[in-house]
Amino acid sequence: GDVYKRQDNNSVTAIRINREKYHSNVLGSLARQLALNTQVFSLKSVLPRIHDNDQTLTHLTLEGTADVPFDDLSCQLLALGLQQNTTVVALDLANNAITNAGVEYLVDMLVDNKTIRSINLGGNRIDDDGGHMLVKSLETNDSIVNLDLEDTNITEEVMTEIMYLVGINNGPLALKSAMVAISTNDPKLVEVDFNGLHEGFRPFDDEAIHVLCSLLVENTCVREIDLANNQITNVGAALIADLLRVNSTLEAIYLENNRISRDGGEALFETLKSNHTLHTLKLDGNQVPVPVLENLQSVLVVNGQPLKEPKRMQKRDFQILDNKTLFRDADYMKDKEDDIFSDAMKDCPRDRLPKSIKLNQLKY
């Protein structure tokens, strides 16, 4: 019979049969059913509901007893049942006898199951080997947004990796999809679209901006980012301002319809005084005061102008240059400083001039 159908016998744990007379599927089902009879009764009783996708079964808590612990075999049987389940969203397996082997069964199950969002494995016998399995699983699993590993033997370093990835899952999945390309400096990724109006898009908040900015610090390919219609506040704007102090590649950032006000606008303005590459910054639909917007625009206009190549004017006769070059060109003034000084002072006795006098000391 099917292992997930309700079985009446809970005591038989072994049967001697001629294995050659039965199909391997039947033998496998029988083996699982016998194994279930060695487990806590709560596991056996809930598996048919899991198999049938019982709509009332959304939160599942399983715990062993002093005589019958919930261990790695229990995890294996449970994981087999949950692979195709679409109703259970929270799984509480805290304070059991699960080791790294049980974690392996769970992460294998999560390859197929995209419904479970919360797992509690606190108080189990899991160490860094199990932690690394969870890290690898979370790199591709987008659904786990809560993972409790309190009172396990996972070190702080590995725990930090796990919590970082769980945090990513709580944010915009578009960010997670782009993380590898941004962190590896993929030259194909020049424009990034994180506009919050896309259907099914989890909005960017300040925490997501923190992650994004940390990825962009050393990126030299991304030139344009659309972050409009999200939940970015002054905190996120300040993080973007910090990024622009070290990133000289970004040219355009769109922040329309967020939650940025004066402080965020002023933080961006202060940064743009020293950033010369960003020429487009859109803040419509925020609460940034008009004077701050005008200050920002004045800097952006300058950044939008193409840089001039310096003119090489040494040894050129200034008599053949036009008035615009003579009197308005800063390059000319810099390169011809000595010639102008000599010409202006040619009728002045040289013995009356201090040797250290420079053109910029003279007042006209």
Side-chain angles (χ1 to χ4, degrees), residues 5-48:
K5 301 289 186 183
R6 187 173 300 280
Q7 307 295 329
D8 294 331
N9 184 284
N10 300 314
S11 60
V12 177
T13 59
I15 298 177
R16 179 179 250 173
I17 60 173
N18 187 342
R19 300 178 68 87
E20 295 179 356
K21 293 184 178 181
Y22 298 93
H23 192 277
S24 59
N25 289 342
V26 175
L27 293 174
S29 179
L30 178 61
R32 287 192 293 272
Q33 185 61 52
L34 293 171
L36 273 175
N37 281 353
T38 68
Q39 302 298 306
V40 289
F41 179 74
S42 57
L43 174 60
K44 182 174 181 177
S45 62
V46 80
L47 279 176

Side-chain angles (χ1 to χ4, degrees), residues 102-141:
V103 172
E104 186 171 8
Y105 294 128
L106 293 176
V107 298
D108 286 345
M109 174 267 294
L110 291 173
V111 173
D112 298 308
N113 185 299
K114 307 300 181 184
T115 307
I116 296 176
R117 298 177 60 80
S118 175
I119 300 178
N120 186 351
L121 290 171
N124 280 285
R125 305 168 187 174
I126 305 168
D127 59 26
D128 279 356
D129 287 342
H132 286 303
M133 294 180 202
L134 290 168
V135 168
K136 190 171 181 60
S137 174
L138 289 167
E139 288 174 352
T140 55
N141 179 285

Side-chain angles (χ1 to χ4, degrees), residues 9 36 61 85 88 95 188 234 332:
N9 184 284
L36 273 175
T61 299
N85 180 269
V88 176
N95 303 309
K188 297 178 182 178
N234 291 335
Y332 176 80

Side-chain angles (χ1 to χ4, degrees), residues 94-223:
N95 303 309
N96 282 301
I98 301 169
T99 72
N100 297 332
V103 172
E104 186 171 8
Y105 294 128
L106 293 176
V107 298
D108 286 345
M109 174 267 294
L110 291 173
V111 173
D112 298 308
N113 185 299
K114 307 300 181 184
T115 307
I116 296 176
R117 298 177 60 80
S118 175
I119 300 178
N120 186 351
L121 290 171
N124 280 285
R125 305 168 187 174
I126 305 168
D127 59 26
D128 279 356
D129 287 342
H132 286 303
M133 294 180 202
L134 290 168
V135 168
K136 190 171 181 60
S137 174
L138 289 167
E139 288 174 352
T140 55
N141 179 285
D142 299 330
S143 57
I144 299 297
V145 296
N146 182 58
L147 182 56
D148 192 335
L149 294 165
E150 189 175 356
D151 295 329
T152 62
N153 295 318
I154 299 175
T155 61
E156 183 178 353
E157 181 181 358
V158 177
M159 190 72 77
T160 299
E161 290 185 62
I162 294 171
M163 291 303 109
Y164 176 79
L165 291 169
V166 171
I168 295 297
N169 280 355
N170 277 276
L173 295 183
L175 172 59
K176 186 173 183 178
S177 300
M179 282 180 66
V180 174
I182 296 174
S183 61
T184 57
N185 226 6
D186 186 343
K188 297 178 182 178
L189 189 66
V190 178
E191 300 178 1
V192 182
D193 184 3
F194 292 143
N195 194 303
L197 289 182
H198 295 303
E199 185 177 357
F201 191 88
R202 293 182 192 170
F204 265 72
D205 56 13
D206 296 329
E207 187 172 346
I209 290 295
H210 190 185
V211 175
L212 175 62
C213 289
S214 68
L215 293 171
L216 286 169
V217 167
E218 297 182 359
N219 183 279
T220 57
C221 295
V222 176
R223 298 186 179 279

Side-chain angles (χ1 to χ4, degrees), residues 219-275:
N219 183 279
T220 57
C221 295
V222 176
R223 298 186 179 279
E224 179 177 318
I225 301 179
D226 187 351
L227 290 165
N229 304 295
N230 280 292
Q231 297 174 4
I232 303 167
T233 72
N234 291 335
V235 174
L239 290 168
I240 294 172
D242 288 341
L243 168 67
L244 292 174
R245 290 189 176 92
V246 296
N247 182 297
S248 57
T249 304
L250 284 169
E251 297 176 357
I253 301 178
Y254 300 91
L255 290 168
E256 300 101 316
N257 302 315
N258 277 281
R259 302 172 183 177
I260 303 169
S261 58
R262 176 186 292 275
D263 289 346
E266 290 181 343
L268 290 165
F269 173 61
E270 290 299 320
T271 291
L272 287 178
K273 290 179 181 179
S274 58
N275 177 294

